[in-house]
Amino acid sequence: MGEQGSSSSSCFAGFVVVLSLVLNASVLCNGGKTSNFVRKVEKTIDMPLDSDVFRVPPGYNAPQQVHITQGDRVGKGVIVSWVTQDEAGSNTVIYWSENTKQKKQAEGKVYTYKFYNYTSGYIHHCTIRNLEFNTKYYYVVGIGHTERTFWFTTPPEVGPDVPYTFGLIGDLGQSFDSNSTLTHYEMNPRKGQTLLFVGDLSYADNYPNHDNVRWDTWGRFVERSVAYQPWIWTVGNHEIDFAPEIGETKPFKPYTQRYHVPYRASESTAPFWYSIKRASAYIIVLSSYSAYGKYTPQYEWLKEEFPKVNRSETPWLIVLMHSPWYNSYNYHYMEGETMRVMYEPWFVKYKVDVVFAGHVHAYERSERVSNIAYNVINGLCSPVKDQSAPVYITIGDGGNLEGLATNMTEPQPPYSAYREASFGHAIFDIKNRTHAYYSWHRNQDGYAVDADSMWFFNRYWHPMDDSTTADA
Ligand SMILES: [Fe+2]
């Protein structure tokens, strides 16, 4: 434009300059936002083994790495897991509700595994069933040796207008930044009731021979949250632990031994993809690292799964996966593309509200876009604005030792509404069947500060345009 102007009359040149200023301004005003927040760049390093957050609880055979997750379809079941180190000890969980104080008990099972030259402690998993909704329960593990008591609150009964608050963390690891992220989540006054975890837990595989001691330290580090509220697990690439060079060829071995999920309750045949209902949300968990092509078990399951979602019962349809489909960083760019090609038409057809992913160690939120028109010969291969499509959120910014993804594609593509290379967590706060308030919190701010936020309008009950940039 400038060159064209210089070869024309001065009047025309002036017009061109003004026009280009207007065009530039409109691009700046209407496009997505790349945050100009500058954090102090420091190396992200793991906390040393003698850190207080990794401390082994005192007492003979004391239960450690205590964690809970949903244990059934609707939230009346809880899987309680813990590790004992000296001997197997009891598999019993004793529990009682705050209301009745009548003690009950459930029996679990114990497992051990070996990984190269590492032998695990005794890993206990026990499912407690038929709990009352919306009730505080106490539970005790370590019966017969050193007993430890924890508590949790069951969710309200599944229903369309039940408010509920989910936390979101991904790619957490066990660095000093990870500790900051978890503290900010715990201290956030919005108070997440259940955490949706989008994969990459311990990063033990970054150590020589995938040193599984770092799976144990991670379990002790996060106990302060996950022993008291369920974390809903998604697998990431750091859960694969595939190491043929040391004879370890069974993918997901440490992860599947340590973290159980209620996959059978949703008729899944493997723990890597499954679904749960919780309050007013239907949550589908997918595996970026299990086969997902046509005819595969995950594909067949998901094909049957979407039609089961009843938005009159659970208005909010949330999908978790590890590798994002819409990412504009130069890290893991297009890694989610093959899965997107397979499944995106279903996400649009069934009006998924939001997709949370991790993998990229930064934060990004998309507009509602889809890219499903392409048929090899028509050339229609760009994302377009689509009010039936989900918002895609990358929340792989938990703070693991690999550090931040800071390098972004330029210019920011129109599908990207907001992006920022900072560590943090998010909250998805469902108010009723039509509205949910979403906020992302960077670790450099005070606990209550929203660095990015958006009101979600439910795609089934209130499918109004909720985009935050004008030309998305
Ligand atoms: Fe990852």
Side-chain angles (χ1 to χ4, degrees), residues 171 198-200 203 235-239 289 322-324 332 335 358-361 396 400 402:
D171 304 68
V198 293
D200 284 358
Y203 288 76
V235 286
N237 51 306
H238 288 280
E239 278 67 73
Y289 306 101
H322 187 63
S323 188
H332 306 304
E335 278 185 26
H359 203 34
V360 178
H361 300 161
N400 66 76
E402 292 178 352

Short mmCIF file of all heavy atoms in Angstrom, two decimals, residues 171 198-200 203 235-239 289 322-324 332 335 358-361 396 400 402, ligand 1:
data_model
loop_
_atom_site.label_atom_id
_atom_site.label_comp_id
_atom_site.label_asym_id
_atom_site.label_seq_id
_atom_site.Cartn_x
_atom_site.Cartn_y
_atom_site.Cartn_z
N ASP A 171 -0.37 -30.06 33.26
CA ASP A 171 1.10 -30.10 33.12
C ASP A 171 1.78 -29.59 34.39
O ASP A 171 2.69 -28.75 34.32
CB ASP A 171 1.53 -29.27 31.90
CG ASP A 171 0.86 -29.75 30.63
OD1 ASP A 171 -0.37 -29.58 30.50
OD2 ASP A 171 1.55 -30.31 29.77
N VAL A 198 -5.72 -31.87 33.19
CA VAL A 198 -5.64 -32.17 31.75
C VAL A 198 -4.35 -32.86 31.32
O VAL A 198 -3.96 -32.78 30.16
CB VAL A 198 -5.92 -30.92 30.89
CG1 VAL A 198 -7.36 -30.46 31.05
CG2 VAL A 198 -4.96 -29.80 31.23
N GLY A 199 -3.73 -33.60 32.23
CA GLY A 199 -2.63 -34.48 31.83
C GLY A 199 -1.25 -33.93 32.12
O GLY A 199 -1.05 -32.73 32.28
N ASP A 200 -0.26 -34.84 32.17
CA ASP A 200 1.13 -34.58 32.55
C ASP A 200 1.21 -34.28 34.04
O ASP A 200 1.16 -33.12 34.46
CB ASP A 200 1.77 -33.47 31.70
CG ASP A 200 2.14 -33.95 30.30
OD1 ASP A 200 1.93 -35.15 30.00
OD2 ASP A 200 2.63 -33.13 29.51
N TYR A 203 6.09 -35.73 35.69
CA TYR A 203 7.31 -35.54 34.87
C TYR A 203 8.47 -36.38 35.38
O TYR A 203 9.64 -36.04 35.17
CB TYR A 203 7.70 -34.05 34.77
CG TYR A 203 6.75 -33.27 33.90
CD1 TYR A 203 5.50 -32.90 34.36
CD2 TYR A 203 7.11 -32.92 32.59
CE1 TYR A 203 4.61 -32.22 33.54
CE2 TYR A 203 6.23 -32.23 31.78
CZ TYR A 203 4.98 -31.88 32.26
OH TYR A 203 4.11 -31.20 31.45
N VAL A 235 -4.89 -38.45 30.67
CA VAL A 235 -3.48 -38.81 30.45
C VAL A 235 -2.81 -37.86 29.47
O VAL A 235 -3.39 -37.42 28.48
CB VAL A 235 -3.30 -40.25 29.91
CG1 VAL A 235 -3.54 -41.26 31.00
CG2 VAL A 235 -4.12 -40.52 28.67
N GLY A 236 -1.55 -37.57 29.78
CA GLY A 236 -0.70 -36.79 28.88
C GLY A 236 0.47 -37.64 28.40
O GLY A 236 0.61 -38.80 28.80
N ASN A 237 1.32 -37.06 27.58
CA ASN A 237 2.46 -37.82 27.06
C ASN A 237 3.43 -38.23 28.16
O ASN A 237 4.10 -39.25 28.04
CB ASN A 237 3.19 -37.04 25.96
CG ASN A 237 3.55 -35.63 26.37
OD1 ASN A 237 2.68 -34.87 26.81
ND2 ASN A 237 4.82 -35.29 26.26
N HIS A 238 3.48 -37.46 29.25
CA HIS A 238 4.40 -37.83 30.34
C HIS A 238 3.87 -38.98 31.19
O HIS A 238 4.55 -39.42 32.12
CB HIS A 238 4.74 -36.62 31.20
CG HIS A 238 5.65 -35.66 30.50
ND1 HIS A 238 7.01 -35.85 30.42
CD2 HIS A 238 5.39 -34.54 29.78
CE1 HIS A 238 7.56 -34.87 29.71
NE2 HIS A 238 6.59 -34.06 29.31
N GLU A 239 2.68 -39.46 30.89
CA GLU A 239 2.18 -40.68 31.56
C GLU A 239 2.53 -41.94 30.76
O GLU A 239 2.30 -43.05 31.22
CB GLU A 239 0.66 -40.61 31.75
CG GLU A 239 0.22 -39.81 32.96
CD GLU A 239 0.53 -38.33 32.85
OE1 GLU A 239 -0.14 -37.61 32.09
OE2 GLU A 239 1.47 -37.88 33.54
N TYR A 289 -3.18 -40.09 23.37
CA TYR A 289 -2.09 -41.05 23.16
C TYR A 289 -2.58 -42.50 23.14
O TYR A 289 -1.84 -43.42 23.42
CB TYR A 289 -1.00 -40.83 24.21
CG TYR A 289 -0.58 -39.39 24.18
CD1 TYR A 289 -1.04 -38.48 25.14
CD2 TYR A 289 0.19 -38.90 23.13
CE1 TYR A 289 -0.71 -37.14 25.06
CE2 TYR A 289 0.51 -37.56 23.04
CZ TYR A 289 0.06 -36.68 24.01
OH TYR A 289 0.37 -35.35 23.92
N HIS A 322 -5.39 -33.98 26.31
CA HIS A 322 -4.07 -33.39 26.60
C HIS A 322 -3.56 -32.49 25.48
O HIS A 322 -3.13 -31.38 25.71
CB HIS A 322 -3.06 -34.48 26.92
CG HIS A 322 -1.76 -33.92 27.39
ND1 HIS A 322 -1.65 -33.17 28.55
CD2 HIS A 322 -0.51 -33.93 26.85
CE1 HIS A 322 -0.41 -32.77 28.71
NE2 HIS A 322 0.31 -33.21 27.69
N SER A 323 -3.57 -32.98 24.27
CA SER A 323 -2.96 -32.23 23.16
C SER A 323 -4.01 -31.32 22.51
O SER A 323 -5.04 -31.79 22.04
CB SER A 323 -2.42 -33.23 22.13
OG SER A 323 -1.69 -32.55 21.15
N PRO A 324 -3.79 -30.00 22.52
CA PRO A 324 -4.84 -29.08 22.05
C PRO A 324 -5.04 -29.12 20.53
O PRO A 324 -4.10 -29.39 19.78
CB PRO A 324 -4.32 -27.71 22.48
CG PRO A 324 -2.84 -27.85 22.57
CD PRO A 324 -2.58 -29.28 22.96
N HIS A 332 4.46 -27.71 19.98
CA HIS A 332 3.42 -28.73 19.74
C HIS A 332 2.38 -28.25 18.71
O HIS A 332 1.23 -28.67 18.75
CB HIS A 332 2.71 -29.12 21.04
CG HIS A 332 3.66 -29.55 22.11
ND1 HIS A 332 4.56 -30.57 21.94
CD2 HIS A 332 3.84 -29.11 23.39
CE1 HIS A 332 5.25 -30.73 23.05
NE2 HIS A 332 4.85 -29.86 23.94
N GLU A 335 0.03 -30.68 16.68
CA GLU A 335 0.10 -32.07 17.16
C GLU A 335 -1.30 -32.67 17.39
O GLU A 335 -1.48 -33.87 17.33
CB GLU A 335 0.90 -32.16 18.47
CG GLU A 335 2.39 -32.21 18.25
CD GLU A 335 3.17 -32.42 19.54
OE1 GLU A 335 2.64 -33.00 20.50
OE2 GLU A 335 4.32 -31.98 19.56
N GLY A 358 -3.99 -29.38 27.61
CA GLY A 358 -2.75 -28.90 28.23
C GLY A 358 -1.64 -28.94 27.21
O GLY A 358 -1.76 -28.39 26.13
N HIS A 359 -0.55 -29.62 27.56
CA HIS A 359 0.57 -29.93 26.67
C HIS A 359 1.45 -28.72 26.36
O HIS A 359 2.67 -28.78 26.52
CB HIS A 359 0.03 -30.57 25.38
CG HIS A 359 1.03 -31.40 24.65
ND1 HIS A 359 2.01 -32.14 25.27
CD2 HIS A 359 1.21 -31.62 23.31
CE1 HIS A 359 2.74 -32.77 24.35
NE2 HIS A 359 2.27 -32.46 23.17
N VAL A 360 0.85 -27.63 25.88
CA VAL A 360 1.62 -26.42 25.62
C VAL A 360 1.73 -25.67 26.94
O VAL A 360 0.73 -25.40 27.60
CB VAL A 360 0.91 -25.54 24.57
CG1 VAL A 360 1.70 -24.26 24.33
CG2 VAL A 360 0.74 -26.32 23.27
N HIS A 361 2.96 -25.34 27.34
CA HIS A 361 3.18 -24.79 28.68
C HIS A 361 2.97 -23.29 28.71
O HIS A 361 3.88 -22.49 28.94
CB HIS A 361 4.58 -25.18 29.17
CG HIS A 361 4.76 -26.66 29.25
ND1 HIS A 361 5.97 -27.29 29.28
CD2 HIS A 361 3.83 -27.66 29.29
CE1 HIS A 361 5.79 -28.59 29.32
NE2 HIS A 361 4.51 -28.85 29.33
N GLY A 396 -1.98 -25.64 29.88
CA GLY A 396 -0.81 -26.47 30.22
C GLY A 396 0.23 -25.69 30.99
O GLY A 396 1.43 -25.97 30.92
N ASN A 400 5.66 -27.01 35.23
CA ASN A 400 6.64 -28.11 35.34
C ASN A 400 8.05 -27.68 34.93
O ASN A 400 8.26 -26.61 34.38
CB ASN A 400 6.18 -29.29 34.48
CG ASN A 400 6.22 -28.92 33.02
OD1 ASN A 400 7.27 -28.86 32.42
ND2 ASN A 400 5.05 -28.62 32.46
N GLU A 402 10.01 -28.24 32.61
CA GLU A 402 10.41 -27.96 31.22
C GLU A 402 10.31 -26.47 30.89
O GLU A 402 10.79 -26.04 29.85
CB GLU A 402 9.54 -28.78 30.25
CG GLU A 402 9.84 -30.27 30.34
CD GLU A 402 8.96 -31.10 29.43
OE1 GLU A 402 8.00 -30.56 28.84
OE2 GLU A 402 9.22 -32.31 29.33
FE FE B 1 2.42 -32.87 27.39
#
